[in-house]
Amino acid sequence: MFIFFFFFFKQKTAYEMLRSLVGSEMCIRDRYQRRVRGLHRGTMAAPPSYFVDHKKGEVNELRALLQNPDVQRDPQRKRDVLKRVVAYQTLGIDVSRLFPEMMLATATNDILQKKMIYNYIVYYGESRADLAMMTVNTLQKEACDQIDPMVRALALKHLSGLRVPNLAEYVVHPVTRCLEDVSPYVRRAAVTAVLKLYHLDPKAAEPMVPQLERMLRDRDPQVVCNCICAIDEINAVSGGIELSKTLIYNLLNRIKEFNEWAQCTILDLVARYTTESEKEVFEIMNLLDERLKSTNAAVVLATTKVFLNYTINMPKIHQHAFMRVKDPLLTLMTGGGGEMAFTVLSHILVIAERCDGVFDDEFKKFYCRYNDPIYVKNCKLDVLKLIANDSTVEIRGRDTACDGDWAGCGDCGGASRVCD
């Protein structure tokens, strides 16, 4: 008697093949599952299957589609094919075999297709350097395109991002030309490209530094911020960007035009600047006083750093500076989440150690709430230890005994250090 066994093998998905995928790939999977559930309820359209299955021979199928004249004539179908290529690239599946077809696909006027193709070329450019060099001429030509600034900026970003041998000589001319472009978007990309060029070949980028210094007075705030970061990194060995009174005052008078993160960059420069007199200290502090009202914690903390650094050798003014930054810090501490509260509390702890009495009258703000994370509770208790005195310890004992919203000795293991 013969017994036959039949084995059935399930086609593995990309997630079963790559069990180490985490982060954004898991989010992609979960998002897909949510969209499928929504489709079954009739509340959502069918999702694209870019990230779902990776079948055997899929790369060959994509190559055939990229070579198909009908696909090349249909922009939407071509986009869909390119999305699948980028999706597999994102999942860690090797699609470098498609490099020749992706190079030929650069001959398109569709900006979305260009973005996906250039992203692919930069991603695999280092491993396929011989083929990547063949795209340099195309990128050079499009970086000098006279019609669309988006195309110029996109080409320049990816041209300077390629990591292939002897690239610097091909990047210098497009970057030099784009630094004087009429479009601020292109100038932003050009400034960033100077920094990339510096990491490729420092000697090739050094002649462009004077041009970046002149662009510190550019009309576009983001161009100015990019120039500050680029010059500061290029001149890092010699101490960073050279600070002058004219530059600092020019930036401070325009600081409202910058976004919050660019303001942090400027405030970092101001904190490094050495003032010439007390009058200059007061002028700068008056210009920055409004920044303490910002809703962005980084801007407030950077402004606090400037105030305290400038007045450290002026004891009376230093005390007033502590009092001036107290309310903004307390507002940030109570208005954000646990991570924000911990960051601000760490700054408050340093201030409380340096200057007695600043937060003594606001001790109730440092009571531990029952839902505070443990790291926030510990930090609050450290602050309370520094600002507690005879009168506040008695009030603290009464409040924790009768207010259920605050964490007393029994609720927070470390609270007894203050109450005892």
Side-chain angles (χ1 to χ4, degrees):
M1 183 175 67
F2 298 96
I3 300 176
F4 297 93
F5 295 94
F6 295 93
F7 298 92
F8 298 91
F9 296 93
K10 177 181 175 291
Q11 176 68 48
K12 290 188 176 181
T13 64
Y15 288 101
E16 293 170 324
M17 295 170 66
L18 300 174
R19 296 183 180 276
S20 60
L21 294 177
V22 295
S24 60
E25 290 85 356
M26 298 296 287
C27 294
I28 292 168
R29 182 198 62 188
D30 296 339
R31 180 176 60 188
Y32 171 74
Q33 292 174 350
R34 288 196 300 270
R35 296 183 69 175
V36 169
R37 289 195 295 269
L39 177 64
H40 291 164
R41 292 194 298 268
T43 60
M44 196 174 300
S49 57
Y50 307 129
F51 293 96
V52 182
D53 291 325
H54 172 55
K55 301 176 182 178
K56 186 176 180 180
E58 185 79 10
V59 176
N60 293 330
E61 180 184 343
L62 290 173
R63 176 185 285 116
L65 289 171
L66 288 171
Q67 295 174 348
N68 189 332
D70 294 333
V71 173
Q72 294 176 6
R73 286 192 293 266
D74 188 339
Q76 188 57 50
R77 288 183 64 188
K78 189 174 179 181
R79 281 186 192 180
D80 292 339
V81 174
L82 293 173
K83 286 178 182 178
R84 290 171 63 185
V85 174
V86 175
Y88 288 145
Q89 171 190 319
T90 304
L91 292 174
I93 298 168
D94 184 15
V95 287
S96 60
R97 289 179 291 166
L98 301 176
F99 208 99
E101 287 73 21
M102 295 295 282
M103 285 173 51
L104 295 175
T106 57
T108 176
N109 294 324
D110 190 331
I111 191 69
L112 294 179
Q113 291 182 24
K114 285 182 181 292
K115 287 181 179 180
M116 290 186 283
I117 295 167
Y118 290 164
N119 174 69
Y120 173 93
I121 290 173
V122 171
Y123 187 86
Y124 288 109
E126 190 170 0
S127 61
R128 304 294 295 269
D130 53 337
L131 293 175
M133 283 299 296
M134 298 174 65
T135 65
V136 169
N137 289 334
T138 301
L139 292 171
Q140 274 186 314
K141 181 181 177 180
E142 295 197 344
C144 300
D145 183 86
Q146 297 296 322
I147 300 175
D148 191 350
M150 291 287 291
V151 173
R152 295 199 296 275
L154 184 66
L156 186 62
K157 286 178 183 178
H158 291 85
L159 176 62
S160 58
L162 281 173
R163 288 297 175 262
V164 295
N166 305 318
L167 180 69
E169 58 182 303
Y170 300 100
V171 180
V172 172
H173 174 67
V175 171
T176 305
R177 182 168 178 170
C178 289
L179 284 173
E180 300 177 353
D181 199 278
V182 295
S183 170
Y185 183 71
V186 178
R187 295 199 300 274
R188 296 175 197 174
V191 173
T192 307
V194 172
L195 189 55
K196 294 178 181 178
L197 178 61
Y198 174 76
H199 291 296
L200 281 175
D201 186 355
K203 292 183 179 179
E206 285 175 0
M208 301 180 186
V209 174
Q211 174 68 11
L212 295 183
E213 292 175 346
R214 290 191 293 271
M215 293 176 69
L216 288 172
R217 291 169 177 78
D218 193 275
R219 297 185 303 274
D220 185 73
Q222 192 58 48
V223 172
V224 176
C225 181
N226 288 3
C227 287
I228 291 172
C229 296
I231 297 172
D232 210 32
E233 188 166 342
I234 291 172
N235 296 334
V237 177
S238 58
I241 187 172
E242 184 179 352
L243 302 176
S244 64
K245 182 177 180 179
T246 304
L247 173 62
I248 293 298
Y249 274 77
N250 179 59
L251 293 174
L252 289 177
N253 286 323
R254 296 183 57 190
I255 197 167
K256 294 180 181 179
E257 302 175 15
F258 293 84
N259 61 41
E260 293 168 333
W261 302 115
Q263 289 180 22
C264 293
T265 302
I266 294 173
L267 290 168
D268 182 61
L269 287 186
V270 175
R272 289 157 45 187
Y273 172 66
T274 303
T275 55
E276 299 174 355
S277 62
E278 290 188 6
K279 179 182 178 182
E280 191 175 350
V281 171
F282 293 133
E283 288 176 351
I284 293 176
M285 291 174 66
N286 287 333
L287 288 171
L288 291 178
D289 187 69
E290 191 176 351
R291 298 302 99 204
L292 291 173
K293 301 175 184 178
S294 174
T295 56
N296 185 280
V299 174
V300 174
L301 294 177
T303 307
T304 300
K305 177 183 176 180
V306 173
F307 276 43
L308 300 184
N309 282 0
Y310 278 16
T311 59
I312 194 168
N313 296 321
M314 305 161 63
K316 292 184 179 180
I317 306 301
H318 200 53
Q319 179 71 22
H320 287 293
F322 279 125
M323 300 304 295
R324 178 66 187 88
V325 302
K326 178 180 72 172
D327 289 338
L329 291 178
L330 290 174
T331 301
L332 287 176
M333 183 193 73
T334 57
E339 292 80 4
M340 176 74 69
F342 178 78
T343 302
V344 178
L345 280 166
S346 299
H347 286 74
I348 291 175
L349 183 61
V350 174
I351 293 174
E353 290 173 347
R354 291 186 179 181
C355 185
D356 296 333
V358 177
F359 296 99
D360 288 5
D361 58 337
E362 299 287 351
F363 64 94
K364 289 188 177 181
K365 297 285 181 68
F366 303 101
Y367 284 180
C368 298
R369 292 184 178 272
Y370 72 94
N371 58 349
D372 280 339
I374 187 64
Y375 52 87
V376 172
K377 291 181 179 179
N378 287 335
C379 205
K380 284 184 175 181
L381 292 171
D382 290 334
V383 174
L384 283 171
K385 283 196 303 182
L386 292 174
I387 67 175
N389 53 45
D390 294 340
S391 59
T392 57
V393 166
E394 293 177 2
I395 297 173
R396 165 69 175 147
R398 292 199 301 270
D399 287 347
T400 55
C402 62
D403 191 346
D405 288 338
W406 307 102
C409 299
D411 187 56
C412 179
S416 58
R417 292 184 292 169
V418 179
C419 299
D420 287 348

